[in-house]
Amino acid sequence: FRKKKQKKRRRRKLSVSCAGVTVSGIMQLKAVLCALSRYRPDVGYCQCLNYVAAVLLLVCEPETSFWILAAIVDFVMPEGYFSGTLMGAVADTRVLQTLVSKRLPVVAKHLIKLDTNLSAASLQWFVCIFVGVIPIHLTMRVWDLVIVHGSHVLFWVALAVLHLQQDRVISTKNEGEFFNVITTIGSGIEDESELMAAILKFRIPKATIAQLRTHERESLSFRLETESDDNGSSKVPNRHNRRTSTSNSGSSPRKDETSNAGVSRSSSGHDEPPRDDDGKYREDCFYDERKGVTV
């Protein structure tokens, strides 16, 4: 009976400690993530925070790992990056798509040909801060750059990785092959000096990236507000709304008429973003036509 118990304990130890994961490591990771959720209840637990915390635990004590993780959430990454909607990270994926179209036109044309984009892959790149995308020794160097210079370095790294693996990307013939390549795109990068040299080629000014981020955030917020307004208008108003609408019908214009006075509408009836002075509002040419933004 004792021998059977000993065998079960050995099996548990083997199953828990496989791939270098130990019980103490799991408990430390859980403690760091729980502490962050209490420190920032508005963030709680967001996907990919476990990857970031796990890398910190490889080189730091649990308490130090917690404070570094809190600093990354509070100061290093933009606001809303680890929120429930991932608004900041989603906006950054759209910024990257614009930068790729300007700085890597061959890759951009190939993406159009395959009728796909980098949204899904780049979202994981940014939220995980490239953990699991490139080898760990290169990830540490990227983290040094991000913590010292700021989160706009993420775009430099993303463009550098795509540049180094451009031949693999444009060799794909369909969306499935592209997905297989993009999920393992950093596996072929091992030389640290090669990656750093490629990053230096894409040193886009911080002010330019800030303007692109602001525009994409406003665009996403506009779309969310439009969708919520469309969903709300389809609902049947309650008695209180009926009374207010009937009582104010003859005295003053409705709220939706005044609030949407400066917003144009398409032929389908949906709200569209306001046009520029020259009458254009397409996102693919927005940044080139704005003064002071050169991508």
Side-chain angles (χ1 to χ4, degrees), residues 46-48 52 81-82 86 89 122-129:
C46 176
Q47 57 179 341
C48 297
V52 179
Y81 225 76
F82 300 102
L86 299 176
S122 58
L123 182 64
Q124 183 181 4
W125 297 355
F126 293 152
V127 179
C128 293
I129 319 180

Side-chain angles (χ1 to χ4, degrees), residues 7 16 35-36 48 50 63 77 89 105 137 150 164 175 180-181 197 203 212-213 230-231 237 261 275 291-292:
K7 288 182 179 180
V16 173
L36 181 69
C48 297
N50 55 335
E63 184 176 357
M77 306 305 289
H137 67 283
L164 293 175
E175 189 174 1
N180 292 333
V181 169
R203 288 184 298 176
L212 299 180
R213 278 174 161 174
D230 292 341
N231 294 333
R275 296 172 181 264
K291 294 182 180 180

Side-chain angles (χ1 to χ4, degrees), residues 190-251:
E190 293 289 344
D191 190 357
E192 180 179 334
S193 60
E194 183 183 14
L195 178 61
M196 293 299 112
I199 290 175
L200 293 177
K201 293 181 180 179
F202 298 98
R203 288 184 298 176
I204 302 171
K206 183 178 180 179
T208 300
I209 293 178
Q211 292 185 21
L212 299 180
R213 278 174 161 174
T214 300
H215 169 69
E216 293 299 346
R217 282 173 176 266
E218 291 176 353
S219 177
L220 288 174
S221 299
F222 180 85
R223 290 189 178 186
L224 290 176
E225 291 176 0
T226 303
E227 291 177 359
S228 62
D229 292 342
D230 292 341
N231 294 333
S233 62
S234 61
K235 297 179 181 180
V236 179
N238 54 26
R239 294 180 180 179
H240 177 71
N241 292 336
R242 288 177 181 175
R243 292 176 182 176
T244 55
S245 61
T246 54
S247 61
N248 296 331
S249 58
S251 59

